Structure formats: C-alpha cells, structure tokens
C-alpha cells in the first residue's frame, strides 16, 4: 500500500477494478471517470493498483499455458499422421468420380430430354387450366361492357361485384386482371356519374311538373269534397243509391240526376292523372339502388335531400304580383302541393331515401314560409271577393295536403286571421254602400199608395204597427227609404260573412259566434261611423236630423230580427250560454245622442243667426210699442220647428225646446251686457222688455208638450228679474234682500246689474248735458244721479265681496 493511502481508498480502488473486469468495454467510461473525480493524485495510485493487478493476471495465464502445453504437442503429432492417409483417399475418390462421369453421360442426356418433355407437358396442362379460369373473367368483363352500353347499370354493378369477388381472385396474378381490377372502380364512378346525371334530369323534370302535379292533386281533393257533399245531400234526402261526382260545381250537383252523376264519374276516372302518370320516378329508384350497391347510399340521400331543400326554397318564393288575382295564389299553391305530393310518393315508394321526419321538417319550414307569404300578400287585398276566392283556394290546398298526412291546423288558424281581414274589407265595402244609401235618401217618410207597395216595404223590413195597418191608403211609414235598404244590406253582409266561414271545419256554434261578432263590428264601427259622419255634414238640417233619430230607433228595434235571422242560418239556439248578442242598442243610441246634440247645436246656431239681425236703438227715448221684428220671426221659426219634433221622443223634443229657450235668453242677456254698447236708455230697456214678454208668451204657449207648469218660462227668469229691477227701480228691495233665498231678485247678479246700471247712468249724464231746459230738472236729476251713484257703490261693494269670497 502506498504511503498516505487510507483503507477507504484501497477498498474503492478494488471495487473499481472488479467493475472494470466484469463490465462491458463500452460502459467502462463512467467507471474510469469516477477515478478522476476523486481526490487529487488518486489516479496515480489507481494506476499502480491496476499495474499490480495486470501482473497478477499475467502470472495466472503463464501458469495455465504451462499446464496444457504437453497435450497440445501430442495432438499435433496425431494430426501429421492422418495427413498422409487423407491424401491417398483423395486420389482414390477422384479416380472413381472420373470413371462414373464417363459412364453416366448418355443416361444424363436421355434424362434431360425426358425432363424437357415432361416440362412441356406440364406447361401445356397449366396453360389450359389457366385459360379455363380466365375465359369466364373475360366473358364477365365483356358482359359488363355490354350492360353499360345498354344502360343496365344496376345489372352491370352486380356483374362487376361477381367478377371482382369471385373470378378475379382466381387469376389475380395476370396483368390483364390487374388492368381489369383498376378499371372496375372507374366503371363504377362512371355509373355513379351517369345515374347522378339522370337524377338531376329527374329533379329538373319534377320541378317543371310540380305545378301540374299539384293542380291534379288539388282537383282530386276538390272533387272528393264535392263528392262528399253530394253523398251527404243524397243521404239527407233518403236516396238509396249514391253516385260519384266529377269536378263540377256544387250547384251542378244540387240539380244533377243520377245518370249525370254516373257520366261525371266516368269522365272523372278518365281525366284523373297521378304523379306517376306525369313523372317517371325510375331514375330515383335506379340511382338509389346503384348508390346502395356501391355502399354510398348516405351520400346519395344527403344529395337528394339537399337538392329538394333548395327546390323547396324556390317553390316557396312567391311572385311579386301574386296578390292581384286568385290565379297567382292558385299557381303558387299548385307548385307547393306538387312538391309535397312527390315527396310523399318518394317516402312510400323507397325505404329511407326520405323519412317522415325529413318531410315533416320540410313541411314545417314551408308552412312557416307560406303563412308569412299569405299574411303579407293577403294584406294587400282590398277586394272581399278576391279574399273569399283566396280562402277557397287555401281550404282546397289544406284539405289536399291533409289527405297526404301533413298537419294543416296552422293554415286553418291563418284562415281565421284572414277572416278578420275579410271582415275588414267587407266593412269597408259596406261603408261605401251605407254612404251611398244615406246620400240617396230624401229623409222623408216612405209613402205607400196601395197594398202592394205596403207589402213590398214590410217584406224588406220587419215593421209592425197596428195603427198604421188600420189607416187607409195612401199611408206613410215613419221611417225613410234608407231604413229598409240598410236592413237589406245587413242581411247581405251576414251572407257574405257566412261564405267565408264555410269549409273551415268549425262548429255551428263557432260560425254563429263569428257571424254575430262581424255583424257587431258592422253595427258598432261601420254603420256607427257612417251615421256620425252623416250627422256632422253641413247640408243635414233639422228635419233630416229628426228623421235620422226616427230611423235609428226603428233600426235598433230590428236588431232582434237580425239575431233571429242569424239563428235560422246557423241553427244555434239563442239560449246558448256563449252566444254573442248584437250591440245595436248602444250603436243606435250613440247615433241618436249625436243627432240630438247636433239638433241642439244647429237650433242654437239658427237662433244666433236671428239674433245677428237684431238692430236695437239703445238710445231711444220711447219704445215702439211692439216687439222687434227679428224676434217675432225667430219665434215663428221655433214654432214651426218644434212642430216637426212631434215624432221625436218627448224627452228629446223637450230638451231641444229648453235648450233653445235658454240659448235665446243667454244671447239676449249678452246683448244687454255687450261691451260695444256703451249707453242704454230706459226707452231701450222698455223695448227690450217687450221682446222678453214675447219670449215668455212663447214659452207659456207650450210649443212642445210635456212641460210641467211654468218650467219652460224659467229659461227667461234671469232676464225677467233683471228687467223688473230696472223697470220698477226697486234698488232698495234688491239691496236689502240680497243673499236671501226669498229675495224677489234672487237671479240678478250684482255684476250684471252694475254693468247695465253704469250704461244707463252714462246715457243719463249725456242726456242732461244736451238738455236745453236743464235748469227745470236739475234738482230731480241731481237726486236721481246721487241715488244711482249710491247704488253703484253698493253694487261694487257686493261684487268685490263676491270676488274676495271666491
């Protein structure tokens, strides 16, 4: 052991040496690296240990070689002895081989000839065998080409499948078979392309024929509906034998004989064409089979459905002017029906090309689009006849598709919306009719010169009056000619509204409710609006307004007959819980109120016209001794006017009369208080009093019966008390009793009295200034002026007190 080397270092070196001896040479590097990573100069000590180990191994090798050396020498000696014997044996074998070769040359030559013949024979047999295997392959391939040439693609695919799976594997090693194998996929693609081209032609064909297909389908559906009606009618009449219907109208079947119906049936059977008659569906079947065989059915199904979706989008696009004629709608529906008839046929004729889910998806998409289109285009329809024809087309369309299993409930819901629009167009149409009736009416009672004319009127309008029936001819109905005309138009409107409700698959109760609601709209909106506009027209006078009130009263009474008319049509009892009632009462009542209000307004306006003719000389010294001419004319006008009111309800006539008197009283009061009138003499007051007396006489003459006591005279009580106050000059009583309920001048307002008194006082002052003999009346006038000044002060005090209290 080296000096300074510890036992740990020695052990470590031993371990490294053992690892080097036992480890592969490629893995010695990390072991040697650990020697250099140790303490400084450790590798020198390791080298010493390594050299010592090498010397030990050398000594062991030398010992082993010395031990085996004698055996090795003996083996070499034996080998040298065998060498001479081996040389002799080689010479002998070579000589024997030479002699054998010389002796077998002829045999070899003959054997080679035999071998060549046998090889030829075997090759011929193999060739024959292989040709027998190849001939069917070639025949099958030739058959494929012939089938493709004759467009028997499905058979060609089957032959290719047999060729590829059965025959070609037997001869796959030949090059022509490889060429065939390479051509088969190309042939299949060619068949796919050809069949797809046929499918595209088919899709184009059904797009062109959709209109005709839909027309035929809708025609069949309509014929079926007519047939069902005929069957129902014949069953109702007790006929035992039923006959099929053709495409004639319902009126034809109502009068058709059994022989005609039989002829129609035969004609119907000859003319009916189905989708299969108009379109050849074989390209679809063929293409479906081809793609199924080729294992690409899903691609074909996706392509077909995608193309049909696109075609559906094109079919659902309406023409811009579709709303102008019903033919535009019919053509639009024909295309859609044709599209879905084809899809229904494909659904039932193929297995899985289209599914019920797919057709339902297309239908729901189409239905949403159709409803949106119909809502848009039908909103432009202003002709009720066109809307009615559109409804009939939609019903046939819905019944047709319902027969193919499609849900059409949303279409019938849409028809209810269109029914509201139809009613709106009817209301607009009847508004024109009502206006024309009102314009042509003379607003005079209808004369009946004889029994025939009388019966003709009551046949058009439900009028019952025992007193009128007892009167001799000529008679006069209380209503004008517009009443029976309007009642007749009510019935026409109900019939027109009923036409739309037919074939909507609604119950009688629902139809009854529809008719009543539409009739209510006719009453409350259309007729009411026409009446309101009529009443507001300038050329309608008081006589016309009176007649309008009478007319509306009788029309209101006729509403119950309209309800009976609707009941007879729908066979729905009016006692049904949910039966809608007609709102004629409120409609005609509102019209009467408007007419009454217009009567009051026109009457007051006429009074104002007479008042404007008044020409008082407010500074006259003495009255004329008689009432003013304008007032007498006004009273005569009121008398003649109120005589016309005899046919009005008593309350209306009384209200009109009271309103006229109050307005006259107010207008006359305003003349006294007019700011343009600066001075008023006592002579003018006396003349004005004469006019008021005439008004009071008119009020007391009971121009309209029904007033109790002096009720009408109270309209002039304000004027009477005011004039009495000034005529009697009873200021002390007025001022003393002011504010008491028992005051003689209770209706005299202090401000009114003050205004009139100031005008009289001013006139008095001007008169005194101009009086030549002023000195003779100086003392009396001075006393009167002082009295007036005192009264004016007191009146002003009362007026100020009232304003402060207010």
């Amino acid at each position: 052991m080296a000096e300074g080397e510890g036992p740990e270092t020695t052990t470590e070196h031993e371990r490294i040496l053992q690892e080097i001896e036992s480890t592969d040479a490629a893995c010695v590097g990390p072991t040697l690296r650990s020697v250099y990573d140790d303490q400084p100069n450790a590798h020198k000590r390791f080298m010493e240990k390594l050299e010592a180990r090498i010397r030990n191994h050398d000594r062991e090798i030398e010992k082993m070689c010395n031990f085996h050396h004698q055996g090795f020498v003996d083996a070499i000696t034996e080998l040298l002895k065998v060498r001479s014997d081996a040389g002799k044996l080689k010479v002998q074998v070579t000589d024997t081989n030479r002699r054998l070769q010389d002796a077998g040359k002829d045999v070899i030559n003959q054997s080679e000839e035999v071998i060549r013949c046998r090889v030829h024979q075997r090759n011929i047999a193999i060739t024959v065998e292989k040709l027998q295997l190849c001939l069917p392959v070639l025949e099958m391939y030739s058959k494929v080409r012939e089938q493709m040439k004759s467009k028997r693609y499905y058979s060609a695919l089957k032959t290719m499948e047999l060729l590829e799976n059965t025959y070609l594997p037997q001869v796959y090693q030949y090059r022509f078979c490889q060429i065939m194998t390479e051509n088969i996929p190309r042939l299949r693609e060619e068949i796919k392309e050809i069949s797809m081209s046929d499918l595209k032609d088919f899709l184009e064909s059904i797009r062109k024929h959709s209109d005709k297909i839909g027309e035929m389908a809708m025609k069949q559906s309509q014929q079926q509906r007519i047939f069902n009606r005929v069957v129902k009618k014949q069953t109702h009449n007790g006929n035992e034998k039923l006959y099929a219907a053709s495409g004639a109208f319902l009126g034809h079947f109502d009068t058709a004989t059994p022989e005609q119906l039989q002829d129609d049936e035969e004609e119907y059977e000859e003319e009916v064409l189905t989708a299969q008659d108009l379109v050849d569906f074989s390209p679809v079947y063929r293409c479906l089979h081809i793609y199924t065989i080729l294992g690409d059915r899903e691609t074909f199904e996706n392509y077909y459905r995608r193309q049909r979706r696109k075609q559906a989008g094109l079919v659902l696009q309406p023409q811009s002017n579709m709303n102008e004629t019903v033919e535009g709608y019919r053509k639009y529906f024909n295309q859609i029906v044709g599209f879905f008839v084809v899809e229904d046929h494909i659904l039932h004729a193929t297995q899985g090309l289209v599914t019920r889910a797919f057709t339902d998806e297309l239908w729901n998409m189409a239905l949403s689009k159709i409803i949106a289109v119909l809502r848009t285009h039908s909103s432009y329809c202003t002709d009720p006849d066109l809307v009615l024809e559109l409804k009939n087309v939609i019903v046939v369309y819905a019944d047709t598709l319902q027969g193919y299993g499609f849900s059409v409930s949303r279409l019938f819901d849409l028809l209810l919306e269109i029914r509201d629009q139809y009613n709106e167009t009817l209301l607009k149409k009847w508004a024109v009719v009502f206006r024309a009736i009102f314009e042509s009416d003379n607003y005079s009672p209808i004369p009946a010169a004889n029994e025939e004319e009388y019966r003709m009127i009551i046949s058009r309008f439900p009028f019952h009056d025992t007193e009128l029936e007892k009167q001799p001819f000529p008679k006069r109905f209380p209503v004008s000619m517009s009443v029976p005309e309007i009642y007749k138009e009510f019935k026409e409107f109900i019939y027109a509204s009923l036409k739309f409700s037919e074939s909507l698959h609604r119950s009688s109760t629902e139809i009854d409710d529809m008719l009543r609601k539409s009739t209510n709209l006719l009453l409350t909106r259309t007729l009411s609006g026409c009446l309101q506009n009529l009443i507001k027209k300038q050329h309608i006078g008081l006589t016309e307004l009176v007649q309008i009130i009478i007319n509306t009263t009788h029309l209101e009474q006729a509403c119950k007959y309209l309800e009976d008319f609707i009941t007879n049509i729908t066979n729905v009892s009016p006692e049904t819980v949910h039966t809608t009632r007609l709102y004629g009462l409120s409609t005609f009542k509102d019209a009467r109120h408007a007419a009454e209000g217009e009567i009051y307004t026109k009457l007051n306006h006429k009074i104002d016209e007479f008042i404007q003719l008044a020409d008082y000389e407010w500074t006259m010294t003495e009255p004329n001794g008689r009432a003013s001419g304008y007032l007498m004319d006004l009273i005569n006008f009121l008398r003649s006017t109120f005589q016309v009111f005899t046919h009005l309800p008593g309350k209306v006539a009384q209200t009109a009369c009271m309103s006229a008197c109050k307005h006259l009283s107010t207008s006359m009061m305003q003349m006294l208080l007019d700011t343009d009138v600066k001075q008023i003499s006592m002579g003018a007051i006396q003349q004005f009093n004469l006019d008021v007396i005439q008004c009071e006489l008119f009020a007391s003459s009971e121009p309209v019966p029904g007033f109790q006591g002096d009720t009408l005279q109270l309209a002039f009580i304000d004027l009477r008390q005011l004039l009495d106050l000034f005529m009697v000059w009873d200021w002390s009583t007025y001022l003393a009793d002011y504010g008491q309920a028992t005051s003689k001048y209770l209706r005299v307002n202090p401000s009114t009295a003050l205004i009139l008194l100031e005008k009289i006082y001013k006139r008095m002052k001007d008169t005194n200034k101009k009086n030549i003999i002023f000195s003779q009346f100086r003392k009396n006038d001075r006393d009167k002026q002082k009295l007036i000044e005192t009264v004016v002060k007191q009146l002003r005090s009362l007026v100020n007190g009232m304003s402060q209290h207010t």
Side-chain angles (χ1 to χ4, degrees):
M1 183 177 296
E3 192 175 30
E5 183 179 0
E8 294 180 359
T9 303
T10 302
T11 304
E12 180 64 22
H13 288 168
E14 288 292 336
R15 185 189 65 77
I16 292 174
L17 288 174
Q18 292 176 1
E19 188 173 347
I20 290 173
E21 292 173 351
S22 60
T23 305
D24 190 8
C27 301
V28 175
T31 305
L32 294 177
R33 188 179 297 110
S34 64
V35 175
Y36 290 91
D37 293 340
D38 207 346
Q39 301 176 8
N41 298 324
H43 66 283
K44 293 181 180 180
R45 292 191 294 273
F46 175 75
M47 290 301 295
E48 293 174 357
K49 295 292 289 182
L50 182 60
E51 290 175 357
R53 180 61 64 87
I54 291 172
R55 286 194 296 271
N56 290 335
H57 283 298
D58 287 342
R59 285 193 295 270
E60 290 177 0
I61 291 171
E62 186 177 356
K63 289 179 181 178
M64 188 177 291
C65 288
N66 291 334
F67 178 76
H68 293 288
H69 177 69
Q70 186 60 42
F72 176 72
V73 173
D74 294 339
I76 292 300
T77 302
E78 290 293 331
L79 184 60
L80 290 175
K81 290 179 181 181
V82 174
R83 180 178 180 182
S84 61
D85 295 336
K88 294 177 182 180
L89 181 60
K90 180 178 180 181
V91 172
Q92 291 177 359
V93 170
T94 302
D95 183 60
T96 303
N97 182 57
R98 179 180 58 76
R99 291 196 303 271
L100 182 61
Q101 291 293 331
D102 293 338
K105 283 183 179 180
D106 294 337
V107 177
I108 290 173
N109 291 333
Q110 292 178 359
S111 298
E112 288 178 354
E113 184 67 27
V114 171
I115 290 171
R116 282 195 298 272
C117 291
R118 295 240 178 123
V119 168
H120 290 162
Q121 184 181 8
R122 186 183 65 210
N123 289 343
I124 291 171
I126 292 173
T127 302
V128 171
E129 181 183 356
K130 296 302 181 183
L131 284 175
Q132 289 177 347
L133 291 174
C134 291
L135 281 176
V137 174
L138 295 172
E139 291 174 355
M140 295 293 287
Y141 190 78
S142 176
K143 185 178 180 180
V144 168
R145 303 300 295 185
E146 291 177 0
Q147 288 173 338
M148 290 189 63
K149 188 176 180 180
S150 61
K151 298 184 178 181
R152 295 162 54 202
Y153 303 115
Y154 181 74
S155 300
L157 288 173
K158 284 292 186 182
T159 304
M160 277 189 280
E161 183 180 0
L162 183 62
L163 177 64
E164 190 175 32
N165 296 332
T166 305
Y167 292 96
L168 283 178
Q170 299 176 5
V171 291
Y172 69 93
Q173 66 273 24
Y174 302 109
R175 185 175 180 184
F176 78 90
C177 294
Q178 296 176 0
I179 295 173
M180 288 184 182
T181 303
E182 294 173 357
N183 284 340
I184 286 177
R186 287 196 291 269
L187 292 175
R188 285 174 174 160
E189 288 298 324
E190 182 180 351
I191 291 174
K192 285 177 66 174
E193 292 175 0
I194 294 172
S195 62
M196 184 58 70
S197 177
D198 292 343
L199 176 66
K200 291 178 180 178
D201 294 340
F202 165 77
L203 293 175
E204 181 65 22
S205 174
I206 61 174
R207 190 180 70 83
K208 293 180 179 179
H209 289 86
S210 289
D211 189 8
K212 188 66 176 178
I213 295 172
E215 182 182 354
M216 290 295 100
M218 291 181 69
K219 183 178 180 181
Q220 293 174 34
S221 176
Q222 189 171 14
Q223 291 167 343
Q224 185 63 39
R225 290 177 59 216
I226 297 174
F227 173 77
N228 293 336
R229 290 184 183 180
V230 173
V231 171
K232 183 177 180 180
K233 180 177 179 62
Q234 291 181 345
T235 302
H236 180 70
N237 293 334
N239 293 335
E240 297 179 356
K241 188 173 181 180
L242 302 179
Y243 295 91
S246 69
F249 291 101
L250 181 59
H252 166 76
F253 292 105
D254 290 340
T255 58
T257 63
E259 291 76 11
Q260 289 174 330
L261 293 178
Q262 184 66 38
D263 294 340
D264 290 339
E265 180 182 6
E266 295 174 358
E267 181 182 357
Y268 165 73
E269 291 177 351
E270 292 177 359
E271 293 181 354
V272 169
L273 297 176
T274 62
Q276 296 92 318
D277 299 326
L278 297 172
V279 178
D280 180 17
F281 286 90
S282 60
V284 181
Y285 308 146
R286 184 166 54 248
C287 197
L288 176 62
H289 290 318
I290 288 172
Y291 273 78
T292 301
I293 291 174
L294 296 177
D296 206 7
R297 179 187 176 108
E298 185 177 356
T299 300
F300 172 72
E301 291 178 355
N302 292 335
Y303 175 80
Y304 177 84
R305 295 178 185 181
R306 185 167 60 252
Q307 292 301 316
R308 291 299 280 167
R309 278 196 181 93
K310 290 180 181 179
Q311 288 189 346
L314 294 175
V315 167
L316 293 172
Q317 290 297 327
Q319 296 181 354
S320 58
N321 60 343
M322 186 176 72
N323 61 293
E324 295 178 359
T325 61
V326 72
E327 290 303 321
Y329 289 105
R330 186 174 284 112
K331 184 176 180 181
Y332 178 67
F333 287 128
N334 286 344
Q335 291 177 347
I336 298 173
V337 170
F339 177 89
F340 283 102
V341 167
V342 169
E343 287 306 295
D344 182 76
H345 178 78
I346 294 294
L347 173 66
H348 292 90
T350 62
Q351 294 182 353
L353 177 57
V354 293
T355 62
R356 175 56 67 181
F358 173 74
T359 56
D360 289 344
E361 178 189 353
L362 278 182
W363 171 243
N364 291 330
M365 180 270 291
L367 192 57
S368 299
K369 178 68 175 178
I370 292 167
I371 290 174
V373 167
L374 290 178
R375 279 176 178 158
T376 301
H377 285 264
S378 64
S379 63
Y380 299 130
C381 294
T382 56
D383 183 6
D385 295 333
L386 179 59
V387 178
L388 184 61
E389 291 181 358
L390 171 60
K391 166 256 174 182
N392 293 330
V393 173
I394 294 175
V395 168
V396 175
Y397 167 74
D399 289 345
T400 302
L401 288 177
Q402 190 175 31
Y404 285 93
F406 295 99
S407 174
V408 294
S409 58
R410 291 173 62 190
L411 279 176
F412 283 101
D413 293 339
L414 174 67
L415 283 175
L416 296 181
E417 297 179 20
I418 297 179
R419 181 206 63 195
D420 296 336
Q421 180 187 342
Y422 174 72
N423 286 336
E424 289 296 327
T425 58
L426 286 182
L427 292 176
K428 291 178 181 178
K429 178 180 178 180
W430 257 260
V432 176
V433 173
F434 287 152
R435 285 196 291 268
I437 292 174
F438 289 142
E439 289 294 333
S440 62
D441 193 11
N442 59 6
Y443 297 99
S444 299
I446 303 173
N450 50 47
E451 183 72 20
E452 182 180 357
E453 292 182 3
Y454 180 82
R455 294 300 172 190
M456 183 185 67
I457 296 298
I458 63 176
S459 66
R460 298 169 59 188
F461 179 74
F463 182 82
H464 305 284
D465 189 344
T466 306
E467 295 182 0
L468 182 64
E469 291 178 356
K470 293 178 180 179
Q471 293 178 7
F473 290 99
K475 302 178 182 181
R476 282 186 177 273
F477 289 89
V479 298
S480 64
M481 186 56 71
S482 62
V483 173
E485 291 292 333
I486 289 175
Y487 187 79
K488 184 191 72 157
E489 293 301 328
F490 282 161
K491 290 185 175 181
E492 293 295 332
F493 177 86
I494 293 171
Y495 279 129
S497 182
L498 178 64
K499 288 180 181 179
F500 196 94
S501 301
E502 294 175 345
S503 304
L504 291 185
H505 306 298
R506 299 289 171 176
S507 65
S508 299
T509 304
E510 290 176 300
I511 294 176
D512 182 86
D513 187 63
M514 293 177 188
L515 291 180
R516 291 177 184 273
K517 287 181 178 178
S518 58
T519 306
N520 276 331
L521 288 176
L522 181 70
L523 291 172
T524 58
R525 281 177 45 188
T526 305
L527 181 59
S528 177
C530 292
L531 284 172
Q532 296 293 339
N533 293 333
L534 174 67
I535 292 168
K536 297 296 181 182
K537 288 186 176 180
Q538 294 297 325
H539 70 275
I540 298 298
L542 292 172
T543 304
E544 288 82 358
L545 289 172
V546 170
Q547 188 63 54
I548 289 172
I549 292 176
I550 297 171
N551 290 349
T552 53
T553 301
H554 286 276
L555 284 173
E556 178 184 333
Q557 295 171 356
C559 283
K560 62 179 181 179
Y561 297 100
L562 281 180
E563 290 192 346
D564 296 339
F565 178 71
I566 295 174
T567 299
N568 293 333
I569 292 176
T570 60
N571 293 324
V572 176
S573 174
E575 285 75 22
T576 304
V577 176
H578 301 290
T579 300
T580 304
R581 299 298 179 185
L582 297 183
Y583 304 141
L585 183 64
S586 60
T587 299
F588 296 116
K589 185 178 294 184
D590 294 341
R592 283 198 298 276
H593 286 331
E596 292 166 9
E598 196 65 22
I599 287 176
Y600 307 150
T601 302
K602 288 185 179 294
L603 199 56
N604 293 341
H605 180 69
K606 197 68 177 178
I607 292 173
D608 291 338
E609 290 179 356
F610 280 99
I611 293 295
Q612 290 174 1
L613 298 177
D615 187 18
Y616 284 102
E617 185 181 350
W618 296 109
T619 59
M620 64 171 56
T621 56
E622 294 293 336
N624 295 331
R626 62 181 182 275
S628 301
Y630 86 92
L631 186 67
M632 297 307 298
D633 293 339
L634 172 57
I635 290 175
N636 291 332
F637 165 76
L638 292 177
R639 289 186 188 278
S640 62
T641 300
F642 292 143
Q643 287 177 358
V644 181
F645 289 5
T646 53
H647 296 292
L648 287 177
K651 185 177 180 181
V652 177
Q654 293 170 14
T655 304
C657 185
M658 177 60 75
S659 174
C661 290
K662 285 184 176 180
H663 186 71
L664 176 59
S665 175
T666 303
S667 300
M668 295 182 73
M669 180 69 76
Q670 289 175 351
M671 283 193 290
L672 287 175
L673 304 179
D674 190 1
T675 55
D676 293 336
V677 179
K678 304 299 182 182
Q679 300 177 2
I680 297 179
S681 65
M682 289 304 297
I685 293 294
Q686 293 172 0
Q687 178 63 42
F688 200 82
N689 183 55
L690 293 176
D691 292 344
V692 173
I693 291 174
Q694 289 298 323
C695 292
E696 292 172 334
L697 291 174
F698 168 74
S700 62
S701 66
E702 198 175 5
V704 173
F707 286 106
Q708 296 181 356
D710 56 353
T711 302
L712 191 58
Q713 291 176 285
L714 292 177
F716 301 98
I717 190 63
D718 292 355
L719 276 174
R720 170 49 51 210
Q721 290 186 6
L722 180 64
L723 292 175
D724 285 349
L725 176 62
F726 279 86
M727 296 287 291
V728 179
W729 207 255
D730 194 7
W731 292 106
S732 58
T733 303
Y734 174 74
L735 294 173
D737 295 343
Y738 177 76
Q740 298 180 11
T742 58
S743 174
K744 181 180 179 181
Y745 305 102
L746 181 64
R747 305 299 296 271
V748 178
N749 190 290
S751 60
T752 303
L754 176 62
I755 293 172
L756 186 57
L757 183 60
E758 287 179 340
K759 292 181 178 183
I760 294 175
Y761 178 55
K762 188 173 183 181
R763 176 60 187 168
M764 185 179 295
K765 289 173 63 177
D766 290 347
T767 301
N768 289 339
K769 288 180 181 179
K770 297 176 182 178
N771 198 335
I772 301 176
I773 55 173
F774 177 77
S775 58
Q776 296 179 5
F777 303 95
R778 182 173 188 142
K779 186 176 185 303
N780 294 334
D781 291 339
R782 184 181 298 173
D783 294 340
K784 194 170 185 178
Q785 287 180 7
K786 288 182 178 179
L787 176 61
I788 291 175
E789 290 174 357
T790 302
V791 173
V792 167
K793 289 180 181 179
Q794 292 180 354
L795 288 175
R796 285 176 178 170
S797 175
L798 291 176
V799 171
N800 293 333
M802 290 174 59
S803 61
Q804 291 176 1
H805 179 71
T806 303

